[in-house]
Amino acid sequence: AQKITQTQPGMFVQEKEAVTLDCTYDTSDQSYGLFWYKQPSSGEMIFLIYQGSYDEQNATEGRYSLNFQKARKSANLVISASQLGDSAMYFCAMREATNFGNEKLTFGTGTRLTIIP
Amino acid sequence: KAGVTQTPRYLIKTRGQQVTLSCSPISGHRSVSWYQQTPGQGLQFLFEYFSETQRNKGNFPGRFSGRQFSNSRSEMNVSTLELGDSALYLCASSFFGSGGPLYNEQFFGPGTRLTVL
């Protein structure tokens, strides 16, 4: 079974609109961390936001927020007021407690977001 | 503070050759992880080094190897290159070693794009 599932291969969104990128995950651990990364065409992975499994509030970082629904095992990324510079690949990733101290991140297949002017 | 650097940025090799990629982590970071990114397989974990010791290894053949030096710089080597080794190889560094928190942001370099002809 896929550990991280991103069901939207590509999305087109009008500039200034909000966009939600879906991510569901599969783990039997109680303690885990969820990450979102942005990868522009240059290739570098840019960290956006983190949500811990025990965090009671949804994480927010500027225009980014994470809609965390633990029971549904989903961790959707919400980008408010999208900008042209948001066009990129977006990856959801997870680090499980069984790998505590282990740096391995398991990534989803990504969503290519294109912002239309 | 300088980010993660990877050299070279681009590399073209032929089948059967070997290649060495280099990664310099952020100053003070002792953990370096390597990932392979391909259109077909997505992002896959190769291995992680901490204080010159390999802590974990992904599911790759023995042709893929790595090492870390006392200054935390890391190299990965691929011997007997195959066409399927063509990929973007990403290096990521982080501060915490074993026993660190789940929130342990990995900082990625720009990657080395390897093309095998």
Side-chain angles (χ1 to χ4, degrees):
Chain A
Q2 292 290 332
K3 290 274 189 180
I4 299 285
T5 302
Q6 294 181 254
T7 57
Q8 307 152 310
M11 289 187 69
F12 290 85
V13 173
Q14 205 74 39
E15 189 181 7
K16 298 181 184 177
E17 288 186 350
V19 56
T20 297
L21 305 180
D22 296 340
C23 172
T24 57
Y25 58 91
D26 182 27
T27 180
S28 56
D29 291 332
Q30 295 301 310
S31 183
Y32 51 88
L34 297 158
F35 300 75
W36 276 92
Y37 281 87
K38 172 184 178 181
Q39 186 178 41
S41 56
S42 59
E44 186 171 349
M45 300 284 281
I46 302 167
F47 166 77
L48 296 177
I49 198 167
Y50 167 82
Q51 179 83 41
S53 59
Y54 290 116
D55 294 341
E56 293 185 353
Q57 291 190 324
N58 287 341
T60 60
E61 289 286 349
R63 293 187 300 113
Y64 304 107
S65 61
L66 203 151
N67 184 0
F68 181 48
Q69 298 187 44
K70 193 170 181 177
R72 294 185 178 183
K73 292 188 176 178
S74 75
N76 298 338
L77 176 70
V78 180
I79 306 174
S80 63
S82 57
Q83 304 170 355
L84 295 177
D86 293 334
S87 293
M89 281 289 288
Y90 288 80
F91 292 94
C92 180
M94 176 172 64
R95 178 181 292 125
E96 297 169 277
T98 51
N99 292 324
F100 189 74
N102 180 322
E103 301 305 304
K104 174 184 174 182
L105 285 172
T106 304
F107 286 86
T109 52
T111 296
R112 181 170 297 282
L113 176 64
T114 304
I115 306 300
I116 305 166
Chain B
K1 204 173 194 181
V4 178
T5 58
Q6 292 186 246
T7 57
R9 292 292 312 278
Y10 302 90
L11 206 50
I12 300 175
K13 293 285 188 178
T14 56
R15 280 182 300 174
Q17 287 186 311
Q18 76 164 18
V19 66
T20 299
L21 311 182
S22 179
C23 171
S24 293
I26 290 172
S27 178
H29 286 189
R30 293 184 296 168
S31 173
V32 173
S33 296
W34 289 88
Y35 294 84
Q36 181 197 63
Q37 185 177 22
T38 60
Q41 300 297 318
L43 275 152
Q44 293 186 288
F45 172 78
L46 278 157
F47 29 65
E48 186 253 340
Y49 285 87
F50 179 78
S51 292
E52 302 179 65
T53 301
Q54 186 181 87
R55 290 199 307 184
N56 196 30
K57 192 176 191 299
N59 189 24
F60 279 83
R63 299 185 297 106
F64 291 82
S65 63
R67 59 177 176 169
Q68 188 180 33
F69 302 95
S70 58
N71 61 357
S72 294
R73 189 177 70 86
S74 177
E75 289 182 347
M76 67 163 282
N77 183 276
V78 188
S79 61
T80 320
L81 283 166
E82 300 177 0
L83 295 179
D85 297 334
S86 294
L88 179 66
Y89 290 88
L90 291 163
C91 161
S93 77
S94 63
F95 179 78
F96 289 103
S98 179
L102 279 172
Y103 171 74
N104 183 21
E105 182 185 344
Q106 288 190 319
F107 295 83
F108 283 81
T112 293
R113 187 165 297 281
L114 172 65
T115 302
V116 182
L117 302 176

